[in-house]
Amino acid sequence: MNRIPKSWMISALKKSHLVLGMTIGDVSQEQAQDIRDGADGWTILEIMCHVRDFQEIFMGRATRILNEDTPTLVPVDEAAREQMIIDNAYSQQNLRDVYKDYVRTRHVFIEMLTALEDTQLDRRGIHPMTGEVDVTTPIFHTILHDADHTEQIARILGKQLPD
């Protein structure tokens, strides 16, 4: 099977969290709690908490695929995402602590991926919304999720691409 090499996935996991860190590097706690993605959108702090918590969900999915025979993964819908904001008191958390937790989990995820044999990357699970997935799916989902929310934070901070 042709697949993106494991080393590329590890490299992307190592870099995507650094870019996110650079994006929030100058953001104060007050800004993180006040600046929103539109009138009804999430704050930077809520976005970071979401990214941190979903990284754990994605890593959990990869772990289940590795440890169980074709597990059925649990999707997280919009209502569940919104409830996480309330249950985990996103608005009361410290931006720097959230980022540190996110980085700590990222290192665990990278160590887990590094230790895998190539044959383990073929292990499969079932996602009710997308069907059969292999263990690389939650890895790529993590990388893409980082990119999506890094762009979101940069945009709401008013960062512009150079001409």
Side-chain angles (χ1 to χ4, degrees):
M1 166 186 252
N2 289 334
R3 101 163 37 81
I4 292 176
K6 183 173 79 167
S7 63
W8 293 10
M9 290 183 272
I10 292 168
S11 178
L13 283 171
K14 286 180 177 179
K15 291 178 183 177
S16 65
H17 78 284
L18 296 175
V19 174
L20 181 51
M22 288 183 266
T23 304
I24 64 165
D26 294 333
V27 174
S28 70
Q29 180 67 25
E30 182 179 19
Q31 289 172 315
Q33 291 173 305
D34 291 343
I35 300 174
R36 292 187 173 278
D37 188 8
D40 296 324
W42 289 357
T43 66
I44 292 171
L45 179 57
E46 290 167 337
I47 295 165
M48 274 307 307
C49 289
H50 166 80
V51 170
R52 176 204 56 205
D53 290 352
F54 266 73
Q55 175 177 242
E56 289 187 23
I57 290 169
F58 300 145
M59 189 170 67
R61 288 176 180 170
T63 301
R64 284 197 62 210
I65 292 169
L66 289 167
N67 295 328
E68 299 174 31
D69 291 330
T70 320
T72 298
L73 307 174
V74 178
V76 181
D77 63 14
E78 183 68 27
R81 284 191 298 271
E82 292 296 325
Q83 193 61 45
M84 287 173 77
I85 293 171
I86 297 164
D87 292 347
N88 297 332
Y90 281 6
S91 65
Q92 305 305 310
Q93 296 191 37
N94 178 280
L95 179 65
R96 301 293 165 230
D97 291 342
V98 169
Y99 183 72
K100 286 177 188 173
D101 289 344
Y102 161 77
V103 170
R104 193 172 14 259
T105 301
R106 176 57 55 93
H107 289 299
V108 172
F109 206 176
I110 291 168
E111 288 172 17
M112 180 182 84
L113 178 56
T114 301
L116 295 180
E117 299 294 329
D118 284 345
T119 56
Q120 290 176 285
L121 297 174
D122 293 330
R123 291 194 53 87
R124 307 241 176 227
I126 304 295
H127 192 286
M129 297 172 67
T130 58
E132 189 176 76
V133 297
D134 66 26
V135 78
T136 67
T137 302
I139 295 164
F140 283 114
H141 202 168
T142 301
I143 296 162
L144 295 172
H145 195 247
D146 284 355
D148 286 345
H149 289 295
T150 300
E151 181 279 331
Q152 180 185 23
I153 292 169
R155 181 174 31 81
I156 65 177
L157 287 171
K159 298 187 186 260
Q160 303 291 320
L161 289 173
D163 291 334

